[in-house]
Amino acid sequence: MQLYNTLSAEERAELIDQAGKQRLTLSFYAYAKIEDPKKFRDNLFIEWNKLDALGRTYVAKEGINAQMSVPAENFEAFRETLEAYEFMRGIRLNVAVEHDDHSFLKLTVKVRDKIVADGLNDETFDVTNIGVHLKAKEFNAILEDPNTIVVDFRNHYESEIGHFKGAITPDVETFRESLPIINEQLKDFKENKNLVMYCTGGIRCEKASAYYKHQGFKNVFQLEGGIINYAKQIKEEGLESKFIGKNFVFDHRLGERITDDIVSQCHQCGKPCDNHTNCLNDGCHLLFIQCDECKAAMENCCSTECLEITHLPLAEQIKLRRGKQVGNKVFRKGKSEKLKFKHSGELSDQPLAKAHETRDIRQKIKVKKVLLGKAEHYYVKAQVGLFIIENQELNLGDTILISGPTTGNEQLVLEKMLVNGTENSLAKKGDKVTFEVPFRVRLSDKLFKIIS
């Protein structure tokens, strides 16, 4: 019984491309009392794995929070797996504005203490006493009320590329930081102002609205379904968008466009831009905004120091970050002093430019490739690797990629090979292939053929 993801991101991406079927990106959440989160988690993984559903889900005793990628043909079957539980019957599924088949490349379902890290003690207030939910039309109307204060409960790197006009945008990196800041900032308006809040999909506001009512705010409102649902409603109902720019999302897309307004700048050159990237140096992995020109010149890096590191042999890169917290362990978000044009806190509502075309939103899958097989042995003295072909064919002249957790991603052009012990120009499924490899190969390594 499979209870955990067994494929790498590259392998999953290749399977998605081979299937050639449309996938939908969606999110949902539900607060409920779950007695056995581990059992609940395992049951979900088993059912979702059958449907080729991918994504990131957190389960806790207080409920579920999920962002998913589901084959369009399995959408209703996926919904049925949710409605098998009483607390998720009729649940709202926030379907993304823009879709990308590679938005998620793994299925992870994790048990956590909370489904959102809010830093609150739920025992001290009534978490069910939430604010009034507003649909898009109602939300637009209350924004016109001079008695309204609207607050963005997302983080600075989210609001920088898009936000509601006139919103307070806290300069924070985590949701839990914003709660006391806003409470202090608005302490004199608890009785006579409309506190209107929004976030990406609604889940952060669900807990925040109850917290602020407990803090004494009399008129608390929240955008139902967050920015994702708002974008869907204004399109369906032909409403004016009070939101400008892009909505940051936590998958490989890193954003979906709501309006064609660009309200942020490239952090390196200052050109109007709202495309996020992660620094290619795994010892940095900084999230920042980078235009296409800087992306090409800096090769997806945030600084010349990181650029130089990525040009070192992989063994040297690993040595440099040994003993340090790097990569996903420290996911720094646009606060580096190396970036000259970063903005956070109070943001302008004035667009800097218009987006004329949709950019490639895929961040990590840079080359199209097909999985051929796996490493069987490496002869150190001869610097020769032995591979078993399990899929398709391998020809002389092919550009191949050898990939693994320690080896990294190494490309080379195949100039000579032995097939089942004899020199040949073609290897087929089931063949054993040996050829020179100028770097160490491990048994966990996969062999790919670059096809574009």
Side-chain angles (χ1 to χ4, degrees):
M1 184 182 300
Q2 185 181 338
L3 293 175
Y4 298 94
N5 177 74
T6 59
L7 296 177
S8 68
E10 289 80 6
E11 289 170 325
R12 177 63 70 179
E14 184 55 40
L15 290 177
I16 290 173
D17 287 340
Q18 289 177 3
K21 296 179 180 179
Q22 181 191 8
R23 300 182 69 90
L24 302 176
T25 302
L26 55 94
S27 61
F28 63 92
Y29 68 89
Y31 280 99
K33 187 176 181 180
I34 299 176
E35 294 292 344
D36 189 345
K38 175 63 167 58
K39 181 179 179 181
F40 178 62
R41 175 259 173 223
D42 290 348
N43 289 339
L44 288 179
F45 191 98
I46 292 169
E47 294 303 317
W48 291 352
N49 195 49
K50 294 176 184 176
L51 299 175
D52 193 25
L54 306 172
R56 183 191 306 112
T57 298
Y58 298 135
V59 171
K61 289 187 175 181
E62 68 173 0
I64 182 172
N65 178 19
Q67 296 86 42
M68 304 293 296
S69 168
V70 180
E73 64 183 18
N74 293 342
F75 180 74
E76 290 304 324
F78 177 79
R79 184 191 293 276
E80 289 176 5
T81 68
L82 306 181
E83 297 194 343
Y85 300 91
E86 186 175 353
F87 73 89
M88 287 195 285
R89 288 175 187 164
I91 191 171
R92 180 185 63 248
L93 301 180
N94 285 332
V95 179
V97 177
E98 297 177 347
H99 294 288
D100 184 84
D101 291 343
H102 291 211
S103 59
F104 288 101
L105 296 173
K106 292 184 179 181
L107 174 58
T108 57
V109 186
K110 297 182 178 181
V111 176
R112 292 284 180 87
D113 291 333
K114 287 193 170 190
I115 56 177
V116 175
D118 51 39
L120 298 175
N121 182 355
D122 295 354
E123 303 300 323
T124 61
F125 65 102
D126 183 0
V127 297
T128 67
N129 185 24
I130 60 177
V132 178
H133 284 78
L134 300 174
K135 297 186 182 300
K137 187 174 183 178
E138 299 166 324
F139 193 81
N140 279 1
I142 203 169
L143 292 186
E144 298 296 328
D145 187 338
N147 212 38
T148 290
I149 298 175
V150 59
V151 180
D152 189 326
F153 275 97
R154 301 173 303 153
N155 307 320
H156 74 86
Y157 56 91
E158 299 175 79
S159 57
E160 184 176 3
I161 62 170
H163 50 269
F164 279 97
K165 297 175 183 178
I168 296 173
T169 53
D171 184 14
V172 297
E173 289 194 30
T174 63
F175 171 51
R176 69 173 67 191
E177 293 176 67
S178 63
L179 295 172
I181 291 174
I182 295 301
N183 191 39
E184 175 63 24
Q185 188 173 343
L186 303 182
K187 63 183 180 181
D188 296 330
F189 304 105
K190 294 183 178 182
E191 296 283 342
N192 56 0
K193 294 289 186 179
N194 298 321
L195 174 58
V196 180
M197 59 186 68
Y198 70 90
C199 57
T200 307
I203 187 170
R204 284 176 269 192
C205 294
E206 203 76 0
K207 186 68 72 70
S209 66
Y211 169 75
Y212 285 112
K213 291 185 73 172
H214 174 69
Q215 291 296 318
F217 287 85
K218 302 300 182 185
N219 307 305
V220 181
F221 302 85
Q222 62 194 91
L223 179 59
E224 183 179 89
I227 300 165
I228 297 173
N229 197 42
Y230 177 87
K232 179 183 177 183
Q233 290 181 357
I234 62 170
K235 184 176 181 180
E236 291 175 347
E237 300 175 27
L239 303 174
E240 175 192 359
S241 176
K242 300 288 186 179
F243 185 95
I244 53 174
K246 287 173 77 173
N247 179 31
F248 185 94
V249 293
F250 294 88
D251 57 57
H252 286 304
R253 298 172 300 152
L254 294 180
E256 54 183 15
R257 185 160 298 287
I258 307 301
T259 70
D260 61 2
D261 302 295
I262 297 177
V263 297
S264 53
Q265 296 173 277
C266 171
H267 285 165
Q268 292 176 317
C269 72
K271 176 183 177 180
C273 177
D274 53 13
N275 293 327
H276 276 101
T277 190
N278 284 115
C279 181
L280 190 63
N281 174 19
D282 284 334
C284 174
H285 204 59
L286 178 73
L287 177 72
F288 67 108
I289 298 173
Q290 187 178 48
C291 69
D292 291 342
E293 289 78 8
C294 287
K295 184 185 290 288
M298 298 297 293
E299 299 178 23
N300 280 59
C301 293
C302 71
S303 65
T304 53
E305 292 87 347
C306 284
L307 178 60
E308 291 171 358
I309 290 174
T310 62
H311 288 173
L312 295 173
L314 182 63
E316 288 296 315
Q317 296 184 45
I318 294 174
K319 184 178 179 181
L320 284 175
R321 57 181 190 259
R322 188 168 294 149
K324 299 179 181 179
Q325 283 191 314
V326 295
N328 289 324
K329 294 180 181 178
V330 179
F331 188 58
R332 295 181 295 125
K333 305 173 179 73
K335 289 295 190 179
S336 172
E337 294 303 318
K338 300 170 185 175
L339 304 175
K340 299 178 180 179
F341 296 93
K342 57 185 183 296
H343 301 284
S344 56
E346 293 187 14
L347 301 174
S348 172
D349 292 338
Q350 297 301 315
L352 301 176
K354 295 289 185 180
H356 299 295
E357 58 181 324
T358 301
R359 297 293 184 183
D360 181 7
I361 57 179
R362 188 172 303 163
Q363 296 290 317
K364 296 191 176 182
I365 307 303
K366 301 180 180 64
V367 294
K368 195 171 180 65
K369 56 189 179 293
V370 60
L371 178 65
L372 292 179
K374 62 183 180 182
E376 183 75 9
H377 191 68
Y378 183 69
Y379 303 93
V380 179
K381 291 185 178 180
Q383 288 192 310
V384 169
L386 169 62
F387 299 84
I388 296 179
I389 304 299
E390 299 177 335
N391 179 48
Q392 297 203 11
E393 296 180 348
L394 177 64
N395 295 272
L396 285 183
D398 284 344
T399 300
I400 59 175
L401 173 72
I402 299 174
S403 177
T406 302
T407 304
N409 295 308
E410 298 283 355
Q411 287 190 33
L412 55 89
V413 176
L414 191 61
E415 297 179 348
K416 180 181 179 180
M417 67 176 172
L418 298 180
V419 180
N420 300 323
T422 304
E423 188 170 342
N424 206 325
S425 61
L426 173 67
K428 298 181 179 180
K429 184 176 179 180
D431 287 341
K432 290 187 176 183
V433 180
T434 53
F435 51 85
E436 290 187 8
V437 183
F439 48 85
R440 180 69 180 266
V441 173
R442 284 85 179 171
L443 292 182
S444 58
D445 289 351
K446 305 293 185 182
L447 176 66
F448 297 88
K449 177 165 64 175
I450 304 299
I451 55 178
S452 68

